[in-house]
Amino acid sequence: MRPLRALSIVLAFTAALGLIFGTAGFTAMEAQRGLAVNVTNDASAYLGYVPLTDEVHDGEPTAVVEYRNQFGTALDEFDVAVSIADPGSTEVAIESVDSPSSLDEGTAAAVNVTLRCPEREPVSLLFEADGSGGGVSVSLDRVHTVTCVPKGPTVTGIRFDDAANGRALVDGRHGEVTANVWVAETPPVEEAEDLTEVSFDGATPFDTSTKIRRQVNTVPSSTVGGNWKIVAVEFPDRNLTYLHPEWNEGAYDTPKAGGGVAYDGTVDEAFLLNASVDGGEVVEAGEED
């Protein structure tokens, strides 16, 4: 048989199958299209996919994407799994996901995601959808990047005024946050034996627009007297603490003004009494070069 005749027979057979079954007549349909973003015709595909927002606020359920059933049958079983595409590269966490369990023919439904984030940060979310019903099965994976916006301001540092006072530096607007202010009651020339922790939480929040000393003096639970200096300001929600740049294992080399030195973690009295700032880093006793 000549090649041209063979090709004609194949094309005729294919056309006949199309007439018999139609374009939606598959008993199984694989719509997996990988993880590429902004693929054309997502909205008009059999299983339509449409991003709804690029911004999610901390703790607020938000409709992030929408799925549309454009098959000629209901998807009686429908599941969407949402995860962070690269979990090791972000501090954003998924608190909850609310997605439809089925999609009637011709209907659309959104996937609501609640995120938690200590600071403003973009995060790539992986949406893995699987549906079946009426002899049809479909799978679709997509990645959509949103920016998680924290409830309060993002503290970027502490500016100390000769250790007697200071203020928080923030990204964006000032506001209220949770914080612990660690102070030495008598500014130590020699090493201090103990420190005082003054806590600011939901009942008495720390106001980033107000200087530190005024707030410590007005906290009812504060037991510090009038003669004290700031050792460190701790932000437990962000797992971050800023120490005075001249702090040296219970004393100040020179309690002068300067920018706080960041320590990635929360602290306690024992840690601070054995910590010092060396070369722009926070180190514990015995760790210095």
Side-chain angles (χ1 to χ4, degrees):
M1 184 181 298
R2 285 185 289 179
L4 183 59
R5 178 174 174 78
L7 178 62
S8 299
I9 293 174
V10 171
L11 291 174
F13 181 70
T14 302
L17 286 177
L19 291 173
I20 294 170
F21 294 107
T23 57
F26 298 98
T27 55
M29 179 178 182
E30 180 60 42
Q32 170 72 19
R33 282 173 275 175
L35 303 183
V37 180
N38 296 329
V39 175
T40 57
N41 297 323
D42 268 357
S44 58
Y46 283 107
L47 178 60
Y49 163 89
V50 180
L52 299 178
T53 185
D54 295 325
E55 188 172 277
V56 175
H57 289 258
D58 176 88
E60 297 182 8
T62 304
V64 177
V65 301
E66 181 181 78
Y67 290 94
R68 301 172 180 176
N69 179 6
Q70 294 168 150
F71 288 98
T73 183
L75 296 175
D76 299 317
E77 295 184 6
F78 190 70
D79 178 71
V80 182
V82 183
S83 60
I84 294 176
D86 187 7
S89 65
T90 179
E91 294 187 31
V92 179
I94 297 174
E95 182 175 88
S96 64
V97 174
D98 182 16
S99 62
S101 59
S102 62
L103 277 178
D104 291 335
E105 177 185 351
T107 64
V111 176
N112 293 289
V113 181
T114 305
L115 299 179
R116 288 293 185 185
C117 53
E119 57 188 15
R120 188 181 185 94
E121 182 181 355
V123 59
S124 295
L125 300 176
L126 170 60
F127 293 83
E128 299 174 284
D130 293 284
S132 62
V136 171
S137 64
V138 62
S139 298
L140 179 66
D141 293 358
R142 281 290 179 270
V143 168
H144 179 53
T145 298
V146 298
T147 297
C148 187
V149 181
K151 285 184 177 179
T154 298
V155 177
T156 59
I158 296 291
R159 178 68 185 177
F160 290 96
D161 301 338
D162 68 14
N165 207 342
R167 68 166 58 251
L169 308 176
V170 302
D171 178 14
R173 293 184 178 181
H174 285 283
E176 297 178 343
V177 297
T178 298
N180 297 317
V181 179
W182 291 88
V183 303
E185 289 195 41
T186 301
V189 177
E190 299 179 356
E191 291 185 10
E193 295 183 358
D194 56 67
L195 304 176
T196 299
E197 177 188 17
V198 182
S199 297
F200 297 83
D201 52 24
T204 307
F206 183 86
D207 187 348
T208 63
S209 67
T210 303
K211 283 204 166 185
I212 297 171
R213 194 171 195 88
R214 179 185 303 174
Q215 298 187 71
V216 172
N217 286 342
T218 58
V219 173
S221 60
S222 175
T223 59
V224 296
N227 191 19
W228 53 268
K229 292 195 176 181
I230 304 167
V231 175
V233 183
E234 175 188 18
F235 299 95
D237 289 352
R238 294 189 57 204
N239 199 39
L240 183 63
T241 305
Y242 292 95
L243 273 69
H244 190 281
E246 298 294 325
W247 182 250
N248 185 4
E249 295 181 32
Y252 296 92
D253 288 335
T254 305
K256 61 185 179 182
V261 178
Y263 170 73
D264 290 329
T266 55
V267 297
D268 57 22
E269 182 183 39
F271 175 89
L272 290 173
L273 288 174
N274 288 279
S276 61
V277 175
D278 182 35
E281 295 183 357
V282 177
V283 296
E284 292 189 76
E287 292 185 354
E288 295 91 339
D289 294 335

